[in-house]
Amino acid sequence: MARRSVREPPQLAKPVDEVPAGSLAVLRREAADCRRCPLWRHATQTVFGTGPRRAAMMLIGEQPGAHEDLEGQPFVGPAGRLLREALADAGLDAAEMYMTNTVKHFKYEQRGKARLHKRASASEQAACRPWLAAELLQVRPRVVVALGAMAAQTLFGTTFRISRQRGTWQALGEETQALATWHPSAILRMPSPQRERTRAELVADLALAATALA
Ligand code: URA
């Protein structure tokens, strides 16, 4: 079995006071009863990260959508389909990735029968940071890919801009390299031909991330 490094684990831009301890299984069970912010009240369940506990690459999205809320797994809806196809195009196997989100509950506004996605507030994002810090500590990926601004700013700070800085390596602790790229949901909302162009940039950024695993 590979020996665990004693070097600094990957850190978030804003330090977390107390990182929850325990294996991923323990963390998942505890997060299921999370009451750190009010989002649990209307969500079906906590959507914790999934994937191998020693995954070399971690993908961090923003927050679960309606599909993820019902299934309890990240990236299983339309954005997840786009992401999984982009991973395959970049030569990466989605089953080998640890996938998670910055915020672990679905936030929405009820409009008739529809549940319309709402962005988690700064305080809801802050309340969820200990879970992400704990996942990074347990998995200790060599490469982290932040999908979209929420994840990127949680990792690299609030001045980070996807449009200017995507696809550039950022240090994230002594043993982890990271980069940010487009969020697949943002790509789905774009008109053609911007959508195809941006999808190609997502694939290029994922392929760059893959080079760090070689
Ligand atoms: N968008 C995200 O950021 N995460 C998901 O799990 C699904 C959609």
Side-chain angles (χ1 to χ4, degrees):
M1 198 172 81
R3 261 199 295 150
R4 182 149 272 224
S5 165
V6 292
R7 286 191 280 173
E8 278 293 295
Q11 304 285 337
L12 304 183
K14 286 197 187 139
V16 166
D17 286 343
E18 222 174 293
V19 180
S23 67
L24 288 173
V26 167
L27 293 169
R28 186 174 293 112
R29 269 201 306 278
E30 287 179 357
D33 294 325
C34 184
R35 303 289 185 262
R36 288 172 189 258
C37 83
L39 290 186
W40 65 273
R41 289 180 194 280
H42 303 289
T44 307
Q45 57 193 317
T46 304
V47 180
F48 204 71
T50 54
R53 71 191 176 105
R54 293 282 193 277
M57 190 182 290
M58 182 184 285
L59 302 177
I60 306 175
E62 300 199 332
Q63 55 193 75
H67 292 83
E68 290 77 17
D69 174 67
L70 294 176
E71 291 191 34
Q73 306 268 332
F75 288 109
V76 290
R81 202 166 315 122
L82 189 152
L83 175 62
R84 287 163 202 277
E85 286 169 8
L87 283 167
D89 290 354
L92 288 162
D93 182 352
E96 290 177 4
M97 312 281 126
Y98 187 88
M99 292 192 194
T100 192
N101 281 302
T102 310
V103 170
K104 299 198 171 20
H105 278 116
F106 178 41
K107 181 175 182 180
Y108 62 95
E109 187 183 308
Q110 193 79 47
R111 283 262 190 89
K113 285 197 179 140
R115 299 191 302 165
L116 303 184
H117 168 94
K118 269 186 92 176
R119 184 181 169 85
S121 68
S123 66
E124 290 156 352
Q125 292 176 43
C128 225
R129 275 203 292 269
W131 296 120
L132 183 59
E135 288 175 297
L136 283 164
L137 186 60
Q138 288 302 313
V139 180
R140 293 206 178 209
R142 277 191 285 141
V143 178
V144 171
V145 177
L147 300 162
M150 187 189 289
Q153 294 187 354
T154 299
L155 294 177
F156 313 134
T158 51
T159 58
F160 191 94
R161 293 289 173 271
I162 294 282
S163 53
R164 285 202 310 267
Q165 290 164 283
R166 53 153 274 273
T168 60
W169 288 115
Q170 313 287 323
L172 202 72
E174 291 176 356
E175 52 187 12
T176 304
Q177 293 193 74
L179 57 79
T181 188
W182 299 108
H183 192 286
S185 299
I187 297 177
L188 287 174
R189 287 193 298 270
M190 289 173 184
S192 271
Q194 186 192 9
R195 182 190 301 179
E196 289 72 25
R197 225 178 24 241
T198 311
R199 185 189 181 282
E201 289 177 350
L202 169 65
V203 172
D205 292 342
L206 293 171
L208 174 62
T211 62
L213 299 178

